[in-house]
Amino acid sequence: TNLRGAIGQTASEELIKTALSTLEAIIQHPALLMLYCSTVMDYILPPLVSLVSSPNVEWRLFSLRLLSETTSLLVSHEVMAEEKENPNSNNKLLSLIRDSLLPQFEQILMAPDPIPAYALKLLVALTEYSPAVTSILQEIHLVPTIFQVIMEHHGTLLGNTIQSAVAVLNNLVSHKSTNMALLYEQGLVHHVCNLLIETATLCLDVDVDDKSNIKTANALLLLLLDILHHMLIYTANIIRVTLQAQKSGTGGDTQAAEDLLIINKPLTDLISLLIQLVRISLFLSLLKGLLFGMFNL
């Protein structure tokens, strides 16, 4: 990325394209990538991160996609688990992400499509990998931007952008270190309710012959239900602690518990929709069992 002055702009651009294409080929062979894990993190990821902010849109897309795929392989591979005993490589990756990549992410997420889709795919891998990354996302106030991306793409509910954004939210609420109170303040209940209603309605109305959309809608619905599950667990824990404190005579923040219940009130609008989904699920389960029995007579 620093050769333009020495060899000229055209040659420099061709060299960068060649390097990116070479990395793309290497990524198709995860074993090779992991064999040189340290080299990748020391000499390949930093230039990729620098290209994310390039004015060249083609390079931004290419580098984001490669960064997403490379990072996904690095953080999901069993080598990472082995390196927990010697976390230097993990620390290198986390430092690069924290210091060089995440500060750019608000601008990246608000860029024209398809840049946000690639950026969110990268966030999915990062938030699955490290609770530290989820904490950083909250520290730099990136969650409201993710909510904004969801609102701007609500017309394409089954697109990659919404799928990845919801997956990031699911990773956030599933980590114990996440500040759930802050997520509530930023509108978690509102967005989850809207997404659940739209997705559940889509699942109920989708053409049964459209297998691709059915599969995508079901996957999105499962993610949203998982988020709802974590929200209800969080709420139940707050209420339980408050009641226990009152019972033991140590007080307890009853106002915070009451406020949380009020914030969660829109979730009651989901009850009838969820009942419909349960009925359909039970019907399909019974039908599957009936057909299985018929064909095994």
Side-chain angles (χ1 to χ4, degrees):
T1 57
N2 298 313
L3 295 174
R4 181 175 298 179
I7 63 176
Q9 181 174 345
T10 301
S12 174
E13 290 179 355
E14 287 300 319
L15 183 60
I16 290 174
K17 287 181 181 179
T18 301
L20 292 175
S21 298
T22 302
L23 177 58
E24 184 178 31
I26 293 173
I27 292 173
Q28 307 308 313
H29 305 279
L32 181 61
L33 186 72
M34 296 313 303
L35 185 62
Y36 298 97
C37 180
S38 296
T39 301
V40 170
M41 282 191 280
D42 288 339
Y43 300 105
I44 294 180
L45 291 187
L48 271 182
V49 169
S50 69
L51 285 174
V52 167
S53 58
S54 169
N56 186 311
V57 177
E58 180 185 359
W59 289 356
R60 291 179 72 188
L61 284 173
F62 206 167
S63 59
L64 262 177
R65 180 166 63 83
L66 293 180
L67 194 58
S68 174
E69 294 174 1
T70 304
T71 305
S72 296
L73 288 170
L74 289 175
V75 301
S76 63
H77 197 274
E78 61 183 2
V79 170
M80 278 302 189
E82 295 171 2
E83 287 181 350
K84 287 182 179 178
E85 298 177 359
N86 182 20
N88 290 335
S89 295
N90 289 359
N91 290 337
K92 286 180 184 177
L93 182 58
L94 182 59
S95 297
L96 179 66
I97 292 163
R98 181 189 62 238
D99 300 334
S100 302
L101 183 61
L102 289 181
Q104 308 178 52
F105 246 72
E106 183 174 357
Q107 181 181 357
I108 293 170
L109 289 175
M110 300 313 298
D113 290 330
I115 290 176
Y118 287 119
L120 287 166
K121 183 181 178 183
L122 175 57
L123 279 185
V124 173
L126 293 176
T127 50
E128 284 178 352
Y129 150 66
S130 172
V133 173
T134 65
S135 298
I136 295 170
L137 291 188
Q138 291 197 294
E139 289 172 9
I140 64 175
H141 305 292
L142 195 62
V143 175
T145 306
I146 295 174
F147 285 146
Q148 187 174 345
V149 171
I150 289 173
M151 288 190 294
E152 292 182 355
H153 290 80
H154 77 277
T156 53
L157 197 63
L158 301 183
N160 291 331
T161 301
I162 293 290
Q163 293 275 330
S164 294
V166 172
V168 171
L169 292 179
N170 189 35
N171 290 342
L172 281 172
V173 300
S174 64
H175 279 302
K176 293 181 179 180
S177 61
T178 297
N179 185 342
M180 288 292 290
L182 181 58
L183 288 181
Y184 270 80
E185 290 177 11
Q186 293 168 336
L188 179 66
V189 172
H190 169 74
H191 292 288
V192 170
C193 278
N194 286 345
L195 285 168
L196 264 170
I197 291 171
E198 292 177 13
T199 306
T201 303
L202 187 61
C203 287
L204 294 170
D205 295 341
V206 72
D207 186 351
V208 293
D209 293 326
D210 193 347
K211 294 182 179 179
S212 176
N213 278 347
I214 289 176
K215 183 177 180 180
T216 305
N218 286 343
L220 181 60
L221 182 61
L222 289 175
L223 283 173
L224 288 166
L225 290 174
D226 202 24
I227 292 173
L228 178 61
H229 175 68
H230 286 291
M231 292 168 63
L232 294 176
I233 289 176
Y234 168 74
T235 302
N237 286 338
I238 296 293
I239 301 302
R240 186 180 67 252
V241 169
T242 303
L243 292 175
Q244 288 174 346
Q246 283 188 313
K247 188 175 180 180
S248 64
T250 58
D253 192 351
T254 56
Q255 187 60 52
E258 290 173 5
D259 290 343
L260 184 58
L261 287 174
I262 292 172
I263 293 173
N264 275 323
K265 192 174 184 299
L267 297 177
T268 59
D269 296 335
L270 302 173
I271 293 174
S272 60
L273 198 58
L274 293 174
I275 289 174
Q276 290 184 60
L277 291 171
V278 169
R279 286 173 176 170
I280 291 175
S281 178
L282 288 173
F283 170 75
L284 292 176
S285 179
L286 289 171
L287 182 60
K288 180 180 178 181
L290 178 62
L291 291 174
F292 181 80
M294 289 174 60
F295 284 107
N296 285 275
L297 289 175

